[in-house]
Structure formats: structure tokens, C-alpha cells
Amino acid sequence: MPQVTLTVNGKQHSVAVEGRTLLVELLREKLRLTGTHVGCDTSQCGACVVHINGESVKSCTTLAVMCEGAQVTTIEGLAAADGTLHPMQEAFREYHALQCGFCTPGMVLSAIDLVQKHPEGLTEREIREGLEGNLCRCTGYHNIVKAIAAAADVMHGKRDTIAAAAE
Amino acid sequence: MYDFAYHKPASVADAVKLLAADPDAKLVSGGHTLLPALKHRLNKPSSLIDLSGIADLKGIKKVGNSIVIGALTRHVEVATSDVVTAAIPALAYMASHIGDVQVRNRGTIGGSVSNNDPAADYPGAVLGLGATIHTSKRKIAADDFFQGMFTTALEADEILTAIEFPIPEKAGYAKMKNPASRYVMAGAFVSKGPMGVRVVINGAGPGVFRQSAMETALAASWAPGAVAGIKQDADGLNSDIHGSAEYRAHLVGVMAKRAVIAAG
């Protein structure tokens, strides 16, 4: 059985996998990191989005064995050790950007990649286009877009806190 | 998904050896078309040969009057490349509209072109610009490369290594996308340049094809109105729950006109 060594949320793991094991299966079933969800399993819904080397990818369409040496970040790896939320997580809470929460881990990871790739700032349209790969079936997009705009301001130092951005 | 053996060669020569030794092997790089097919058990490869460790197959460069893009170059890299944007903006535009962000972060030009999915974007640009496909053993003109649904001129032990795009005077792309997955329902890539005037239709038929009546009209007069009156025959076009052959035939005219407008 192939062995894959990768770093997940800062911690190195060496795991025996099958060739066909998906990254999301490794995360959920081998490492018990169940914050990453499987929605459609056809690379459309984005509930399974994680970061590989800082870029958002769909972990249901990535083979674990192809992640040798990769740095993976999941929703569990975003908050600080003392529990302080990442600005994007805090913004989702502040703006009520979730209802059932199933799509939220993928939304948050996609949103962080989007904001990081646009230090110049984002228009509402760019945020909506940047979320094309994430589906929310509670139809909660409006508040998700507002949360991302607020988190972008905080992540790029334009405001100090999410609460300040909300005012 | 059925299980398979996994290989990660470090060179094209090693990958060719592995491919030649196993007729049921498949190549993988981004995996964004192959893995969904394997999940549906539409394919049962005995082994996957992962090309992602071969550095020679990556990158974008301007060589003379062409842009050469390595097979493993991801869609996001083509979409955001200054070199591509300066020389062939229509190509960067096309790459920036494939699937979604996460698909563009993984999917590669070589995978898309080798697979020749009728609903893929890239074959339209490759044929629409009259590109040359470089492989592990030869160079193939785009006009000879695409041979219908999921079929290309690639031999069983041949690997696509790069694609060479001649820089056109002007080019444009327009597509009607499926709203859920953003694949091409019907699209048109038009260009004028060293490879002549080209109008290539993707998504609408079982494979990409040149629309010769529109090419003749645009060669005589490069203007959106030149293609507007030309009817695409619905015979042989794709027909499914997302659109009938007649609807796609109508879209061909609309997309060709929009592509000419985009080209300017």
C-alpha cells in the first residue's frame, strides 16, 4: 500500500493509503478531521474545499497519494491555538453567513484563498464570481458575500476588527 | 472507484516507458476529468502514471511569434499569465472561464486537450488558433489532432508535452455555459492571423469543428454581421436534457457573433 507523508494544519502525518484514496477520505476517515464535508462528490458543490500549499482545491477530486509533501489546511486549522477565530470565521459568525452550516467549511476556505489573491480589494461581483465553485442550498449567498467583504478589509489591514467593519 | 497501481516518474522518457509497458495505464496530472470518470467506474485503469513530478512539462514562454505552453501548466497559470495576456488575450480569457476557481487550480492544458471532451473549452482555442501539439515523439497540427468525441491522434504510448500557439492578429471566444458546471453548451473561438481566418465551434457537436461557411464570410468581411445570417445545420449536433440539437445550432450563430465582437 502506498505511503503518503503530508502536513495537515501544521502537523506532519505519514499514512498508508490505497492509490484510489481521495484526499477528503484521508482527512475524514484516517485523520478524523470531519470538518471537511462531502456534498456532491462530483467536484461541483465545494463543501470539500481545503487548501493545498495555500491554494483552494476540491479534496473530493484529489488523490491522497498525489499530496506527498503537501501543506494542507482544513477548517480545523484556521483558528489560533487559544481558540481565537480567523477573521473569515469571525465574519461568517458576525454576518450570519450560514444557516445549516454544511457548505460553510468550503465557503470559508475558498473565501480566504480569494481574499489572499486580491490584495487590491474585491468588488461584490468579484466575490460572487469567486464563489462559483461553492454551492449553498440554504440560499444564504447575500450574507456570505457581505462577510467576505468585511473579512477582506480586516485581512488587508483596512479595518482592525470584524465588528468595526460591520458598523 | 476501482483501485489501481500508482507511479510517479521523474521524466517524460520514464513516463513513456511505463505507458508502453501497460496498455491499461492512464496518465494523470490535475485529475479533474479522469477522477470523476473513475468514480463512475466508466474506466478501469490498471495503473495511474502521475506526470506532476516532471518539471520540463511546466511553464509558459514566448518563442518567436508563438506562445508555447507546457502540458502540465494549470488553467489558473494561463489565465493570469502576463505573457499570454499580452500576446493572446482571448486565450487567457478562455482559461479564466473554465469550470470554477478550484478546477482551474488543478486542471491542466495537456489533460484537457488529450482528453478531448466535447464540452471542454481548450480544444476550441487549440483548433481556433491553429496551434501545433508537441508530443513525446512528434509535432501534430491541430487540424489533424482532434478526431471526434474523446478521440485524438495520440498513440497509446505517446504523451502530449506542450502546445505551440501562433500569435494571431485578433481572436475572440464566447460560450454558453451550463449553469451548474460551467462546461460548454456551445462555444465559438474565432481568429485571424498566420493560420488564416478560423471559426471553431466547441460544445455543440461530438467534437470541435471548423465552421467553413462562417470562415469564408469572415475572410471576406471581418464583422459580427458577416456571420449573423449563416445558419448552422442541427444534424449531428448534441442533444440532451440541457439543450436540443436545434437549440445548440441556434447558439452556434449567437456565440460566433459574440466571439467576433470580443475579437474586435
Side-chain angles (χ1 to χ4, degrees), chain A residues 121-128 145:
Chain A
L122 284 156
T123 63
E124 181 187 331
R125 187 190 165 123
E126 285 169 332
I127 294 172
R128 288 183 185 273
V145 172

Side-chain angles (χ1 to χ4, degrees), chain B residues 78-122:
Chain B
V78 175
T80 57
S81 158
D82 293 339
V83 176
V84 176
T85 304
I88 319 178
L91 185 59
Y93 171 85
M94 185 230 73
S96 72
H97 285 75
I98 298 172
D100 55 46
V101 175
Q102 289 74 34
V103 170
R104 297 193 289 273
N105 280 344
R106 294 291 288 178
T108 64
I109 184 171
S112 173
V113 173
S114 302
N115 193 50
N116 194 19
D117 188 315
D121 291 88
Y122 257 120

Side-chain angles (χ1 to χ4, degrees), chain A residues 11-30:
Chain A
K11 193 175 162 198
Q12 197 178 76
H13 299 269
S14 196
V15 188
V17 295
E18 290 185 297
R20 63 179 167 180
T21 302
L22 299 168
L23 176 59
V24 72
E25 293 169 338
L26 182 152
L27 294 170
R28 288 180 57 86
E29 294 166 22
K30 306 262 184 189

Side-chain angles (χ1 to χ4, degrees), chain A residues 85-159:
Chain A
L85 293 179
H86 185 283
M88 191 63 73
Q89 291 173 301
E90 203 186 324
F92 268 59
R93 183 175 66 182
E94 187 73 30
Y95 283 82
H96 196 67
L98 59 144
Q99 292 184 48
C100 85
F102 191 85
C103 72
T104 309
M107 285 282 181
V108 169
L109 271 297
S110 289
I112 291 172
D113 184 21
L114 180 68
V115 170
Q116 285 174 343
K117 286 206 176 122
H118 290 87
E120 76 285 7
L122 284 156
T123 63
E124 181 187 331
R125 187 190 165 123
E126 285 169 332
I127 294 172
R128 288 183 185 273
E129 284 178 353
L131 293 180
E132 279 185 337
N134 293 79
L135 301 181
C136 166
R137 291 300 79 168
C138 304
T139 68
Y141 295 103
H142 196 61
N143 284 350
I144 291 171
V145 172
K146 283 203 270 186
I148 294 170
D153 281 353
V154 173
M155 287 169 68
H156 294 316
K158 290 178 191 157
R159 292 180 193 269

